[in-house]
Every structure is written in structure tokens, then in C-alpha cells.
């Protein structure tokens, strides 16, 4: 099926041919079905609209409309009910609209009326979709501000005592090193080792806090040169705890040119990909599973790939993973916005994000981002 196709359903061969030709003349791609059962088999969320005869044998136009409007995947499709039945009257019209049809046209329908109706419904549906996307984006932005504020506050609260602990550890180490000649060497060495471990631990916490602060920047819309390799390394350090209990990580990081992006938002995309990969792997066998992260560049693009050996995604679900609010997780484990946001953000940057998956073998997500244009200094 070509993108943007109108589905015409009519058991009358002449009616099917006529309606199809009218829509083709208006510039639409058209697919046809001679029965409600056939239409139900071939209908797709990618159709633009459905022109549906009511008087069909078997599954009639009323029943088919009810089914389409009850299904999550097709309820958004505009349905135009048409009928040439002699019994067509106000009650038929009302029943059509009550079942969810978006328009009702008695036959014979002029080409101008049919085309204008289909175009108006498609335009209205597109406006509705854009409004819905805007509302989702606004809600997501508000959540991001809240999370960013929380992250900044947590980082600040951790940094204060952490700085004090680190300063005291450094002071103790310095004093012990000076005093070790006149004290019990074994005791001093033991204390030195303990303090060194404490210093290393606090330093790791400090680095985590620094990484966390990348995700709490207030200027969320500012864009500039971003080194994807460095950002992925930083993001990986944040996801390490979630990953290490489920799998081994394999890293293939090349030196790559910068891309133009917002570091805060692109970092959130990477973090979401890594956490999704980790959560796709059942815990309990980290030595038998892996998440492979690759960063490279070719043909004017920086390529990022995250591959996991998790449970995989069924083909019918894979086509929907970038839809807002679609999630395969249980209630309370996610809203289904992460990949939708990633798809929108990467697309806005002139890049692409694609997914491949096989049930039982894992999933691979690939991101391509255009290299930042070079600046002529002359």
C-alpha cells in the first residue's frame, strides 16, 4: 500500500470503479475492497480515509464502521459512509453518525462533493493530530522541567556534603603520609588503603553528580556543537548501575565530528535507549546477555547503535514503538513517551532513528545525525 492511500469499500463493481477513479483523478492513491471482510483484512493505520458503502453482503458498512472505531489502531481513520439504498433516510443518517462515521453521503455522489468531503476530513484529522502532538509535547516539556529541577536540587544537596567528605579524606591522607615514619607501619598502611578507597568512592560519586547536572540544564532549547562520543560515555556512566545487573556492556567508540544538538535533550535520548536495552533483558544472567553500544561516522553522519540481547519485540508492536504513549511495559513502569520524544527530537535535527527486532533475539536501535557544518574562518 502506498503511503497516504484512501480505502474504497463497495461490493458493486461499477460503484467501486467509479469512486476509485474519482479519487485517483483528484490525486489520491487508492486501494479497493469488495466486501467488509476483505476491507477488515487490508485496512491499515496508514490509510488516509475510508469511503465505505453501507449496503454490503455479510459484514455491512455499519458493522465494519463499529469495528474500525473500536480498534485502537484504526479509530482515528475518517470514515465516509455512502449508500444508494431506497430505505436511506434520516434514521440511516443518524445511525451512521452514532456508529462513528465522520460523514454521510447518499448516492449518487458527485466527484466534487466526494473529493471535497475526503479532503476536509483528512485536513481535520491532521489538524487534530498536530494539536494532540502539541499537547503531548507541552505535557512532556513540563515533566522535563520538573525532572530537571529535581536533578539539579539532588546534585546540589549531594555536592555539599560530598565536598566536605572529600576534603577531609584528602587531609587525613596527607597527614598520615607525613606521620607514617614515626608510627606503626602496618596500621598506617591499612588506614591509608581504607582512606584511598574512600577517596576513590567519593570521586566516583562526584563524577556521577557532574554527569547528572548535564541532564538538569535550564536552557533546554539551546543548541550547539555536541560531541556524541563524549556524551554517550557520560550517559553510559549514568546507566551503568542498571546495566551491570543484567548484562555485559560492549563499547565501540570512535572519534567522531560534532553534531548540532541540545546536549541536555540528546543525552536524555541516549539514556532512554540504554535503559530500554537494560530493561529488555531479564535479570539474573548478566554473563549470558549483552548490550553493545557503537558510535562512529560515515557519509557525513554520526551513527549511534544500541543493540541488546533481550526479549525482542513482536512485528506488530515494533511498528508502533515510536507512537506517543505506546508502551509494552506494565502500568507504573513508563508512559511510552521516551521513544516518541526521541523520534521527534532526532527528526528535528535532520536525522533518523530506526529499530530492528526479533522475538527472543533482542533489539537494535540506530540513530543517524548529520555532522555539524564546518565554519569557514576566512
Amino acid at each position: 500500500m502506498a503511503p497516504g492511500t484512501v480505502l474504497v469499500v463497495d461490493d458493486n463493481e461499477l460503484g467501486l470503479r467509479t469512486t476509485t477513479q474519482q479519487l485517483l483523478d483528484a490525486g489520491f492513491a487508492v486501494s479497493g475492497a469488495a466486501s467488509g471482510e476483505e476491507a477488515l483484512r487490508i485496512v491499515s493505520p496508514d490509510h488516509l480515509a475510508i469511503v465505505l458503502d453501507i449496503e454490503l453482503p455479510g459484514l455491512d458498512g455499519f458493522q465494519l464502521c463499529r469495528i474500525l472505531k473500536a480498534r485502537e489502531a484504526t479509530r482515528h481513520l475518517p470514515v465516509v459512509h455512502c449508500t444508494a439504498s431506497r430505505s436511506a433516510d434520516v434514521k440511516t443518517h443518524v445511525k451512521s453518525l452514532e456508529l462513528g462515521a465522520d460523514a454521510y453521503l447518499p448516492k449518487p455522489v458527485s466527484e466534487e462533493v466526494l473529493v471535497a468531503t475526503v479532503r476536509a476530513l483528512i485536513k481535520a484529522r491532521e489538524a487534530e493530530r498536530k494539536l494532540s502532538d502539541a499537547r503531548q509535547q507541552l505535557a512532556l516539556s513540563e515533566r522535563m522541567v520538573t525532572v530537571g529541577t529535581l536533578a539539579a536540587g539532588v546534585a546540589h544537596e549531594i555536592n555539599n556534603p560530598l565536598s566536605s567528605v572529600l576534603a577531609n579524606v584528602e587531609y587525613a591522607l596527607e597527614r598520615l603520609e607525613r606521620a607514617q615514619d614515626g608510627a606503626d607501619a602496618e596500621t598506617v598502611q591499612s588506614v591509608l588503603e581504607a582512606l584511598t578507597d574512600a577517596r576513590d568512592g567519593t570521586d566516583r560519586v562526584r563524577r556521577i553528580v557532574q554527569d547528572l547536572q548535564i541532564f538538569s540544564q535550564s536552557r533546554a532549547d539551546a543548541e550547539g556543537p555536541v560531541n556524541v562520543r563524549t556524551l554517550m560515555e557520560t550517559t553510559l556512566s549514568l546507566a551503568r548501575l542498571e546495566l551491570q545487573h543484567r548484562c555485559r556492556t560492549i563499547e565501540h567508540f570512535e572519534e567522531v565530528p560534532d553534531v548540532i544538538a541540545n546536549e541536555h535533550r540528546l543525552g536524555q535520548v541516549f539514556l532512554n535507549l540504554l535503559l530500554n536495552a537494560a530493561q529488555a533483558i531479564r535479570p539474573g544472567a548478566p554473563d549470558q546477555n549483552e548490550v553493545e553500544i557503537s558510535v562512529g561516522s560515515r557519509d557525513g553522519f554520526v551513527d549511534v547503535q544500541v543493540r541488546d540481547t533481550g526479549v525482542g519485540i513482536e512485528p506488530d508492536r515494533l511498528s508502533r514503538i515510536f507512537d506517543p504513549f505506546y508502551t509494552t511495559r506494565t502500568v507504573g513502569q513508563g508512559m511510552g513517551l521516551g521513544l516518541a520524544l526521541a523520534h521527534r527530537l532526532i527528526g528535528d535535527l535532520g536525522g533518523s532513528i530506526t529499530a530492528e527486532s526479533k522475538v527472543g533475539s533482542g533489539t537494535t536501535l540506530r540513530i543517524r545525525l548529520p555532522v555539524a557544518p564546518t565554519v569557514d574562518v576566512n
Side-chain angles (χ1 to χ4, degrees), residues 100-122:
D102 300 272
Y104 175 88
L105 298 176
K107 294 181 179 180
V109 184
S110 71
E111 180 175 347
E112 292 80 3
V113 171
L114 175 65
V115 171
T117 301
V118 171
R119 281 180 174 162
L121 290 176
I122 292 172

Side-chain angles (χ1 to χ4, degrees), residues 43-46 68 70-76 125 133 136 272 276 312-329 335-344 353-357 363 365:
V43 68
S44 161
D46 294 328
L68 294 175
R71 290 183 174 180
E72 180 66 29
T74 56
R75 66 176 51 179
H76 67 282
R125 169 57 194 160
D133 287 350
Q136 292 169 8
N272 184 266
N276 281 354
I313 306 171
E314 295 88 345
D316 59 330
R317 293 187 172 190
L318 185 64
S319 63
R320 300 186 59 198
I321 63 172
F322 298 115
D323 293 347
F325 298 107
Y326 180 77
T327 179
T328 58
R329 300 179 191 172
M335 292 183 62
L337 288 174
L339 288 178
L341 172 63
H343 189 269
R344 174 65 63 86
I353 177 169
T354 57
E356 294 179 5
S357 188
T363 302
L365 281 153

Side-chain angles (χ1 to χ4, degrees), residues 240 242-251 274 276-293 306-312 358-363:
R240 187 81 65 182
E242 184 75 18
L243 289 162
Q244 68 185 14
H245 298 300
R246 296 173 182 260
C247 62
R248 296 174 289 111
T249 56
I250 301 172
E251 302 162 27
L274 294 175
N276 281 354
Q279 291 161 3
I281 298 171
R282 295 188 178 96
D287 294 336
Q288 300 174 25
N289 288 285
E290 63 186 35
V291 168
E292 181 180 23
I293 309 107
V306 177
R307 180 187 64 84
D308 66 66
T309 56
V311 296
K358 184 176 180 181
V359 175
S361 299
T363 302

Side-chain angles (χ1 to χ4, degrees), residues 219-240:
R219 297 184 63 193
D221 294 326
E223 292 185 353
V226 176
N227 186 285
V228 171
R229 172 177 178 165
T230 301
L231 183 58
M232 179 58 81
E233 289 173 339
T234 297
T235 308
L236 183 56
S237 69
L238 288 174
R240 187 81 65 182

Side-chain angles (χ1 to χ4, degrees), residues 123-165:
K123 186 176 181 179
R125 169 57 194 160
E126 181 63 19
E128 180 185 341
R129 186 193 64 79
K130 289 181 178 179
L131 179 59
S132 176
D133 287 350
R135 287 172 176 166
Q136 292 169 8
Q137 188 65 32
L138 177 60
L140 184 56
S141 297
E142 290 174 348
R143 288 174 62 85
M144 285 174 143
V145 170
T146 301
V147 171
T149 302
L150 178 61
V154 169
H156 176 74
E157 292 299 324
I158 292 175
N159 256 332
N160 287 339
L162 184 63
S163 298
S164 176
V165 171

Side-chain angles (χ1 to χ4, degrees), residues 8 10 12-25 109-111 114:
V8 178
D10 198 329
N12 182 282
E13 183 178 350
L14 177 60
L16 180 61
R17 188 166 61 247
T18 299
T19 303
T20 297
Q21 190 60 54
Q22 288 174 337
L23 292 170
L24 288 172
D25 291 343
V109 184
S110 71
E111 180 175 347
L114 175 65

Side-chain angles (χ1 to χ4, degrees), residues 228 258-261 266 269-270 273 294-306 322 342-355 365-372:
V228 171
D258 288 348
V259 302
I260 298 299
L266 187 58
V269 169
F270 291 167
L273 263 57
S294 304
V295 176
S297 64
R298 62 185 176 88
D299 302 329
F301 286 85
V302 173
D303 297 321
V304 176
Q305 177 175 293
V306 177
F322 298 115
H343 189 269
R344 174 65 63 86
L345 173 64
I346 299 302
D348 288 346
L349 296 175
S352 63
I353 177 169
T354 57
L365 281 153
R366 297 184 179 90
I367 290 176
R368 300 204 82 196
L369 288 169
V371 170

